[in-house]
């Protein structure tokens, strides 16, 4: 769990390097009383307050941004597709789906967070490296994970929009390009998996609807009959084990 917390903190810090430096760089050698006095006297107080507000605002969005830099997006969308395909959009509840997605994300991202902690976070906390080097190493580790699952087409899209030249190596791709490219690549994979999930349940719905139509029971909604069969099929094939196992193996 400490690696997870370290990862959350690391990514949050990486998102606002310039803002944090601007807000705190000039205050390192001053005491708390001097800082408060300067704010009261108006010595750059407005600028400092604006910087602090911007930093806090960005940090408030950091968890949402962090979710786009991990496996969370693919997992939660696939689980949502599963509920819709089975015809029970309220089960499992949203709290269970989100909680399961978060813990699966922590499990999948643990090796990456461990490397970030070992190569960037711990040396920075022990004053062995500077802030710029910390941000560079942490961004490199996170970018390395995302690049493994980013499609070249999506990466090229944002490189062209940003007006950047084709990089000679993966290390030259900026993190601001990797994050959105990784996000849309994960969305595409999640929708592909969702389509495959729909097929067996759709077949059951079609078979049940055909049987009811041939029996003249047109007023009976097919979902009432097909739902027990879909649940039975999912349980018999140990669907949760197969689905979760497949998603986890897709990241290793």
């Amino acid at each position: 769990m400490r690696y997870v917390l370290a990862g959350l903190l690391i990514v949050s810090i990486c998102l606002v390097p310039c803002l944090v430096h601007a807000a705190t760089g000039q205050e390192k050698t001053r005491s708390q009383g001097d800082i408060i006095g300067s704010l009261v006297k108006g010595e750059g107080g407005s600028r400092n307050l604006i910087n602090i507000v911007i930093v806090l605002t960005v940090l408030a969005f950091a968890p949402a941004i962090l979710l786009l830099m991990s496996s969370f997006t693919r997992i939660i969308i696939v689980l949502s597709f599963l509920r819709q395909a089975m015809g029970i959009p309220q089960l499992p509840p949203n709290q269970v789906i989100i909680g399961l997605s978060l813990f699966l994300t922590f499990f999948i991202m643990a090796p990456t967070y461990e490397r970030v902690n070992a190569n960037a976070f711990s040396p920075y906390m022990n004053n062995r490296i500077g802030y710029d080097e910390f941000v560079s190493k942490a961004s490199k580790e996170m970018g390395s994970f995302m690049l493994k699952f980013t499609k070249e087409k999506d990466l090229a899209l944002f490189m062209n929009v940003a007006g950047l030249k084709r990089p000679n190596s993966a290390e030259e791709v900026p993190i601001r390009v990797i994050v959105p490219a990784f996000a849309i690549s994960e969305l595409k994979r999640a929708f592909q998996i969702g389509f495959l999930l729909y097929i067996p349940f759709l077949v059951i719905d079609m078979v049940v609807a055909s049987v009811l139509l041939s029996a003249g029971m047109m007023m009976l909604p097919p979902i009432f009959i097909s739902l027990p069969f879909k649940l039975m099929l999912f349980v018999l094939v140990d669907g949760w084990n197969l689905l979760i196992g497949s998603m986890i193996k897709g990241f290793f």
Side-chain angles (χ1 to χ4, degrees):
M1 184 59 70
R2 65 189 181 94
Y3 294 123
V4 172
L5 296 177
L8 293 173
L9 180 59
I10 288 164
V11 177
S12 299
I13 295 176
C14 290
L15 294 173
V16 287
C18 297
L19 295 176
V20 173
H21 180 73
T24 61
Q26 298 178 351
E27 308 295 335
K28 291 181 179 179
T29 60
R30 305 171 65 185
S31 64
Q32 183 177 2
D34 294 335
I35 295 174
I36 296 175
S38 66
L39 293 177
V40 174
K41 296 177 181 179
E43 298 176 4
S46 299
R47 181 181 178 184
N48 291 333
L49 288 176
I50 292 174
N51 287 334
I52 292 173
V53 169
I54 294 175
V55 170
L56 293 178
T57 302
V58 176
L59 289 178
F61 288 97
I65 300 174
L66 174 61
L67 297 181
L68 293 179
M69 299 172 64
S70 65
S71 58
F72 181 84
T73 302
R74 185 194 305 187
I75 295 173
I76 195 169
I77 292 178
V78 170
L79 295 180
S80 299
F81 267 119
L82 176 63
R83 295 194 307 181
Q84 295 292 334
M86 294 182 66
I88 46 175
Q90 302 301 325
L91 292 175
N94 289 332
Q95 294 86 342
V96 175
I97 293 294
I98 295 175
L100 178 60
S101 300
L102 284 173
F103 276 96
L104 289 176
T105 300
F106 293 156
F107 178 81
I108 293 170
M109 298 297 296
T112 302
Y113 289 155
E114 289 176 5
R115 290 194 299 270
V116 174
N117 181 69
N119 299 330
F121 187 67
S122 292
Y124 176 71
M125 294 301 294
N126 295 326
N127 297 321
R128 293 200 301 268
I129 61 175
Y131 181 80
D132 293 337
E133 187 176 359
F134 159 72
V135 172
S136 176
K137 290 185 176 181
S139 300
K140 180 180 178 181
E141 293 294 343
M142 294 299 300
S144 176
F145 168 81
M146 290 186 286
L147 280 175
K148 290 193 300 184
F149 307 101
T150 303
K151 297 180 179 296
E152 293 185 4
K153 182 179 180 181
D154 298 330
L155 198 61
L157 168 65
F158 289 97
M159 291 288 291
N160 293 332
V161 172
L164 301 176
K165 297 181 180 179
R166 183 181 180 87
N168 297 322
S169 62
E171 289 76 12
E172 298 180 4
V173 182
I175 194 71
R176 64 187 178 93
V177 171
I178 299 176
V179 174
F182 171 76
I184 63 175
S185 296
E186 286 296 281
L187 287 174
K188 182 177 181 179
R189 288 192 181 91
F191 275 72
Q192 290 174 338
I193 298 174
F195 170 76
L196 296 177
L197 283 176
Y198 257 94
I199 293 178
F201 299 116
L202 181 61
V203 170
I204 294 177
D205 286 333
M206 293 176 63
V207 171
V208 171
S210 299
V211 172
L212 293 178
L213 183 61
S214 62
M217 304 173 64
M218 294 178 293
M219 300 303 295
L220 181 63
I223 186 64
F224 291 161
I225 306 299
S226 63
L227 180 57
F229 289 99
K230 289 189 288 188
L231 291 175
M232 180 179 64
L233 172 65
F234 191 72
V235 171
L236 289 178
V237 300
D238 199 4
W240 287 112
N241 185 283
L242 290 176
L243 179 61
I244 300 301
S246 299
M247 284 195 294
I248 292 177
K249 292 176 183 178
F251 287 98
F252 289 96

